[in-house]
Amino acid sequence: MAGFRNGRGRDNRPPQQQPQQAPYGYDAAPPPHPQQQWQQPPQGRPQQGYGQQGRPQQSYGQQGQQPYGEPEYFGDPYGQQQHQQHAAAANNPGHTQMFSVDDPYAQAGPPPAPVPTGPRLPWKPLLSGIVLRPADTFLRMRDHAVWGPALIVTFLYGLLAIFGFDKAREEAINATLSSAIPYVLMTALGFVLGGLILGAVTHTLARQLGGDGAWQPTVGLSMLIMSITDAPRLVFALFLGGENGLVQVIGWATWLAAGALFTVMVSRSHDLPWPKALGASAIQLVALLSLIKLGTL
């Protein structure tokens, strides 16, 4: 009986103890090493020590074996091998792999608007460029005010425009010098004021149709277009009269040229397609046709 009480008998080995499962969040105890007794702590947690970094230190039977219950980012010797196996089987049937395709033709928003190149043009290249290189000239001057050339050219055009109409020319010639000079000056100022109003109307319509140009270049360039395009008709009208058939033909031709220049100017200054640019210039073209080209002034 003493042998059974002291645990001795047929088998002197200690009884096998099943390792108790650790609570969730704690490292479970490793299996006992052969010929080693494992003592279960009273609280049900495996005894462990802490090193300098606060990481639990445990002894295991085999060197290099992954700790039981330890996350793989603590040093998994098999992590790199598993990653290589996963990459090799990524394109096999039953596996999927995320990828992205870059579209070189995708654009975010509308294309950028053209910007003017170069500084402001002097008055001579400006006047010649309106006739010879209108698209490049209007694009370059879209952000530059042209008040000086516009006011001077329009005023000079207004001084001579009165002599292009038969009735107005007879009144100016038959009047005395003291009364003819104010009459001519008032007509020139009227042309300047009318050019300012018509240019402002063209700018307002262009902005309502989606344009983004500034009002000063639009008004100034419209005044220059109005004066320059009517200059050929005015030269012949000074000698032949406004009712002459050749003068009328030249007037219609220059009016069509003015419509083309107005369309190009508004298109370049406000970044509009030509139908909208022509629509923005419609009121100014109708006013020029009725007041100047048809000789109803």
Side-chain angles (χ1 to χ4, degrees):
M1 297 298 293
F4 289 101
R5 292 178 181 177
N6 295 330
R8 296 188 300 270
R10 292 176 296 177
D11 192 359
N12 294 330
R13 292 178 299 176
Q16 297 290 338
Q17 296 182 0
Q18 297 293 334
Q20 188 174 357
Q21 185 176 2
Y24 180 77
Y26 297 92
D27 295 337
H33 192 271
Q35 298 180 0
Q36 179 181 2
Q37 294 184 0
W38 184 267
Q39 295 182 359
Q40 188 71 18
Q43 292 82 3
R45 301 180 182 176
Q47 293 180 352
Q48 57 186 6
Y50 292 87
Q52 296 179 0
Q53 302 296 331
R55 178 181 172 183
Q57 297 179 351
Q58 296 179 358
S59 61
Y60 301 96
Q62 298 179 1
Q63 184 178 2
Q65 183 179 358
Q66 177 69 23
Y68 182 77
E70 183 178 0
E72 61 181 2
Y73 53 77
F74 279 156
D76 186 5
Y78 303 98
Q80 184 177 3
Q81 181 178 2
Q82 293 178 359
H83 178 72
Q84 295 177 356
Q85 294 177 357
H86 176 72
N91 295 323
N92 292 337
H95 298 78
T96 57
Q97 184 178 6
M98 297 179 62
F99 64 93
S100 60
V101 178
D102 297 332
D103 187 4
Y105 300 99
Q107 296 182 356
V115 296
T117 57
R120 181 202 305 267
L121 290 173
W123 68 273
K124 289 183 179 180
L126 175 62
L127 299 181
S128 62
I130 291 176
V131 179
L132 302 177
R133 300 174 302 276
D136 296 337
T137 301
F138 295 144
L139 181 61
R140 186 168 179 176
M141 299 299 293
R142 57 172 292 173
D143 291 333
H144 300 291
V146 291
W147 290 122
L151 295 176
I152 295 174
V153 171
T154 306
F155 183 78
L156 295 176
Y157 167 75
L159 292 176
L160 300 176
I162 191 174
F163 300 98
F165 304 97
D166 296 338
K167 185 178 179 179
R169 180 174 58 182
E170 292 178 359
E171 293 179 356
I173 293 175
N174 296 330
T176 59
L177 184 62
S178 59
S179 61
I181 293 178
Y183 183 68
V184 173
L185 293 177
M186 292 298 296
T187 305
L189 292 176
F191 271 92
V192 173
L193 182 60
L196 290 172
I197 295 175
L198 292 177
V201 171
T202 300
H203 169 75
T204 303
L205 292 177
R207 294 302 295 263
Q208 291 180 355
L209 293 176
D212 56 357
W215 72 276
Q216 296 182 4
T218 303
V219 175
L221 292 174
S222 65
M223 296 173 64
L224 288 175
I225 294 173
M226 179 188 70
S227 304
I228 292 174
T229 54
D230 195 51
R233 184 202 65 84
L234 182 59
V235 171
F236 286 91
L238 291 176
F239 302 97
L240 302 177
E243 300 297 332
N244 185 270
L246 179 61
V247 175
Q248 292 292 322
V249 173
I250 296 176
W252 280 100
T254 55
W255 180 78
L256 293 177
L261 291 178
F262 276 124
T263 302
V264 176
M265 185 270 294
V266 176
S267 178
R268 292 295 186 271
S269 299
H270 290 267
D271 300 323
L272 290 175
W274 73 266
K276 291 185 177 181
L278 180 59
S281 308
I283 295 180
Q284 189 166 6
L285 287 173
V286 172
L288 294 178
L289 178 64
S290 60
L291 297 177
I292 299 176
K293 306 299 181 181
L294 299 180
T296 59
L297 183 62

